Structures are given as C-alpha cells and as structure tokens.
Amino acid sequence: MRKILVVGAGQSGLQLALGLQSHGYEVTLMSNRTADEIRTGRVMSTQCMFHTALQHERDLKLNFWESQAPKIEGLGVSVAGPESERVIDWVGRLDGYAQSVDQRVKMAGWMDTFAQRGGQLVIHGAAVSDLDYFSRLYDLVLVSAGKGELVSMFGRDASRSTFTEPQRALAVAYVHGLAPRPEHPDYHAVRCNLVPGVGELFVMPTLTTSGPADILFWEGIPGGPLDAFEGVKDPAKHLSLTLDLMERFTPWEHARTAEVELTDAGGTLSGRYTPTVRNPVAHLPGGGLVLGVADVVVANDPITGQGSNSASKCAAAYLDAILEHGEKEFDETWMRSAFDRYWATGRHVTKWTNAMLGVPPEHVLNLIGAAGALPPVANRFANGFDDPADFEHFFYDPAKTEAYLASVTGATVDA
C-alpha cells in the first residue's frame, strides 16, 4: 500500500486526502488545528463553488451539505456611476447551481470524516525540517498549506506571475438579517458590484455554522477609500465600516442591511496578498521532493471567486494523476506533469483574474453593458465562472468580442 502525506487541511488537501483514502491509499493528513478549533475559529474565505467543482465533491460523495446550503442559480453584475447610482445592472442564469459552505463547517466535517474512516490525522504545524524527514518515510508528500515557511520553498515563477504586490485590500463579513433581494426574490444569486476606480463589493448567500447567511465582501484598490480595514480588530467596528462603505458606494445593496448582524464573533476577515504562480516542485535540503497543491503554487486574487473552485479542480487533477501512476516512483518528472495537468485549466483562471484586476478596456465595458439587454450574453458571462476557459472565445480580444455580440444581436433580430 502506497503511503502519502498531505500537509494542510483546506479544500484541496482534504479533498485529495479523502479521495486517496477512498482508493485504498495509506494517507496521513497534517493540520495545525483540530476540527473543533477550525469549527469555532474565524472565517477563512468567501468560497462560492460552481458546478464543476461541486461535481468533484459529489464524485467522492463528500457533498454532505448540498441539501442545506442555498442553491445559487444566478450571477449578477452592477456597475456604479459617478453619483453612486447603478448604470449597469443584470443577472445571468447558471446552467448548474453554485453553492457556498463556510470552510469552518466543511473542513471540520471533512477532517472528522477522514479520521472516522481510519485516516491518520496529525495535529501539528510542519516546518521544512519536518518535511525533510517525512520525505524519506512516504512515497509522496503534498503541500497544500498556503501560508508561511512552507510556501517559501516554492520559488516564484516570474514568467507566469504578473504582479509583485497585492492588487486589492480584502474585507469580509458573514451576516444574518440581509433583506431579500427585490430584483429576483425567487432565486439566489451572487452579485458583483463594480465601483470603477474604487473596488468591488460581492454579496453571496452561504451556509455557515449557524445556518444560512450572506457574505459581504469588499475588494478595495490599495490606497483608496475601501482600503480602510487594516488594524480593525473589533468585529462590530468591521461590520459598521463595511456598511458605511456600502451606503456610500453601493446604496442599492445598503438598502437591504437594516436588520443585519454578524453571524458570530469570528465572522470577519481582512488582509491582502500578492497573486503569484510558483514552481510546483520544492527541493528539500536532504534531497527529497515535495509537490505543491492549489494556492500554494497558484494563488489568484479572489476577485473572480475561483479559489475554492481551483482547489477542487487541482485536487481532482492530482488524484487522477496519482491513480494512473500506479506503483511507479513519484519523481520530479511526474510531479511536473501532474501540475501541468492542473495548469491546463488553472492558466485560464489566472489570465481572467489578472484581467479583471486591471482597468477594463472599452470592448469589455461594451460586453458588460450589452449583457443588460442580451440575456444570452449575461448567461454566458455568468457560466464563465464555472469554466473560465470560455472567456478565450469572447472576452480578451476586441475582434472576438465584437463578433460574438454581433452574432447574438443577429440571432435576436432574426428571432
């Protein structure tokens, strides 16, 4: 039986560990926190997972909360004008629903499941020196812990990394009491509110430790008015600031917040990081090799909501690569090929995310504007969140955008 060590108990690490476990591998999972510590701790993300990523969970029978989490059937975009009025507002319908489950719920539940199924769970932080030792005991070591000393082992890939500093200041609040959305009260949608030159507000339904809730998520351009959460430690002040900024920049969203309160004392999060693509293979001092997983090696800004989706897709790609490899050695050639398998989809996420962080060119503004009058355009844009590779066909190149809009307009006129 092949022995595999997974360091890090997030979406990718746990999904991969449970997947390997289901195929009879002897898996050890290292986490720096217990399931209870995760469950009662601070929120970790703004996860919204779309159909393909959710299907990877279903395939492994890990969709424990699918019947409880709100079904997100649409994705909407609003753009603020100079007087904080909505100059663009539309919603596209998703082909398959999305869902968001607070990672405190999911990761704690999956950790308990891994242990109950006989997996070896080690609660301990890991250092490079530990991995040096473990690499001699295990057939394969996978690092899915996305912060700290371990990440520094994986060198930055300058050819694939556009940025050298954070592009957004991030601030998250999980809340109860958000009033129903008047535009589409009969179904749930993620809403992306774009404030040109300032940043973005995302509002999404979720399932948290206390039941259904909503996430209010500001992405602020560094140095701008939304870059105001650094040093704010008090959760109540964090929420108050979130709402004040909503009133100023997205009053249509603020109008729903009269009864809002935090879900719990751990329901806020703020910070920033630099989007980076790293070398997937790290060489340990003793000669061993480890393979980086998901955002350890491909860390995108959350502006496109792809973090958990990418983590799920990476875990699925690595699981298939491991199963296909059989009893052969997990050498550096194999490690790089496993990453390349993931990068075939991951590169589209990175390209799209980096594009969304910049000032949108005229043809993209035309596309977003046209979606308000052309439902097929709105729907295609929304479903790009599930399959970002599709943006290659109608988003980046002005000529392709123009041709696509012309084809939709022609079809609409002919109808």
Side-chain angles (χ1 to χ4, degrees):
M1 184 182 297
R2 310 212 76 180
K3 296 175 61 177
I4 295 179
L5 172 64
V6 179
V7 181
Q11 172 76 38
S12 56
L14 275 161
Q15 182 181 318
L16 189 50
L18 286 157
L20 289 166
Q21 187 183 54
S22 71
H23 285 277
Y25 286 76
E26 185 178 332
V27 185
T28 300
L29 177 68
M30 289 190 71
S31 170
N32 62 355
R33 292 191 293 169
T34 67
D36 284 342
E37 287 171 337
I38 291 171
R39 191 177 287 113
T40 59
R42 185 171 295 280
V43 295
M44 296 178 281
S45 67
T46 58
Q47 67 294 310
C48 180
M49 298 182 67
F50 295 89
H51 172 75
T52 300
L54 292 177
Q55 190 59 48
H56 290 315
E57 296 185 356
R58 296 183 189 113
D59 292 343
L60 295 173
K61 297 180 171 58
L62 298 176
N63 55 325
F64 302 155
W65 302 274
E66 187 162 6
S67 64
Q68 304 168 48
K71 290 180 170 58
I72 299 169
E73 299 179 72
L75 186 138
V77 173
S78 298
V79 179
E83 302 300 323
S84 295
E85 78 284 15
R86 277 190 286 191
V87 295
I88 293 174
D89 181 48
W90 51 261
V91 61
R93 298 301 292 263
L94 295 169
D95 293 338
Y97 61 78
Q99 289 188 306
S100 170
V101 177
D102 185 340
Q103 290 198 347
R104 295 178 297 181
V105 174
K106 183 188 287 188
M107 301 314 137
W110 280 0
M111 280 180 69
D112 287 341
T113 299
F114 177 79
Q116 290 162 6
R117 292 178 179 176
Q120 184 174 355
L121 180 60
V122 178
I123 307 301
H124 197 281
V128 173
S129 57
D130 297 317
L131 298 190
D132 221 359
Y133 172 73
F134 289 134
S135 68
R136 296 189 288 272
L137 300 180
Y138 290 88
D139 297 300
L140 176 63
V141 177
L142 299 147
V143 176
S144 63
K147 298 177 182 178
E149 176 189 4
L150 298 187
V151 176
S152 65
M153 296 189 302
F154 301 90
R156 178 177 181 270
D157 184 340
S159 67
R160 292 171 170 170
S161 299
T162 302
F163 304 109
T164 57
E165 56 189 19
Q167 298 301 295
R168 291 292 189 273
L170 316 173
V172 176
Y174 278 52
V175 299
H176 289 309
L178 191 66
R181 183 175 292 282
E183 303 96 321
H184 43 83
D186 55 331
Y187 64 91
H188 293 292
V190 173
R191 297 293 303 214
C192 311
N193 299 280
L194 312 180
V195 186
V198 176
E200 301 81 24
L201 172 70
F202 298 88
V203 182
M204 69 188 75
T206 192
L207 178 71
T208 187
T209 54
S210 51
D214 286 278
I215 300 173
L216 308 176
F217 174 35
W218 276 117
E219 286 227 351
I221 294 174
L226 301 179
D227 187 2
F229 290 86
E230 188 171 359
V232 178
K233 304 298 183 185
D234 179 65
K237 290 182 179 178
H238 182 113
L239 177 60
S240 177
L241 181 55
T242 296
L243 299 179
D244 288 346
L245 291 168
M246 290 174 68
E247 183 176 25
R248 178 180 174 187
F249 293 108
T250 57
W252 60 90
E253 296 286 14
H254 184 264
R256 304 167 57 213
T257 66
E259 304 297 326
V260 154
E261 61 182 10
L262 287 174
T263 56
D264 61 282
T268 62
L269 179 69
S270 63
R272 67 189 75 202
Y273 62 87
T274 303
T276 307
V277 179
R278 299 181 177 89
N279 189 314
V281 180
H283 293 252
L284 297 167
L289 301 173
V290 295
L291 175 61
V293 183
D295 61 358
V296 168
V297 287
V298 184
N300 294 302
D301 188 278
I303 192 170
T304 53
Q306 294 297 298
S308 293
N309 294 275
S310 294
S312 177
K313 293 172 182 178
C314 182
Y318 281 16
L319 176 61
D320 287 344
I322 291 169
L323 296 179
E324 292 171 8
H325 202 56
E327 296 297 317
K328 291 176 283 189
E329 180 186 359
F330 295 111
D331 57 14
E332 183 166 359
T333 298
W334 176 84
M335 290 182 178
R336 293 191 178 278
S337 70
F339 173 77
D340 289 343
R341 188 174 190 147
Y342 164 54
W343 183 246
T345 59
R347 66 186 180 88
H348 296 291
V349 175
T350 296
K351 181 176 181 178
W352 175 46
T353 303
N354 290 348
M356 292 299 291
L357 288 168
V359 177
E362 182 178 2
H363 74 278
V364 170
L365 292 175
N366 292 339
L367 178 71
I368 293 173
L374 301 170
V377 177
N379 294 342
R380 187 172 187 180
F381 190 93
N383 284 285
F385 281 73
D386 180 48
D387 179 19
D390 188 41
F391 287 113
E392 288 285 351
H393 305 300
F394 72 101
F395 184 81
Y396 304 112
D397 183 88
K400 290 183 179 180
T401 301
E402 183 178 353
Y404 169 60
L405 291 177
S407 72
V408 175
T409 304
T412 302
V413 170
D414 292 342

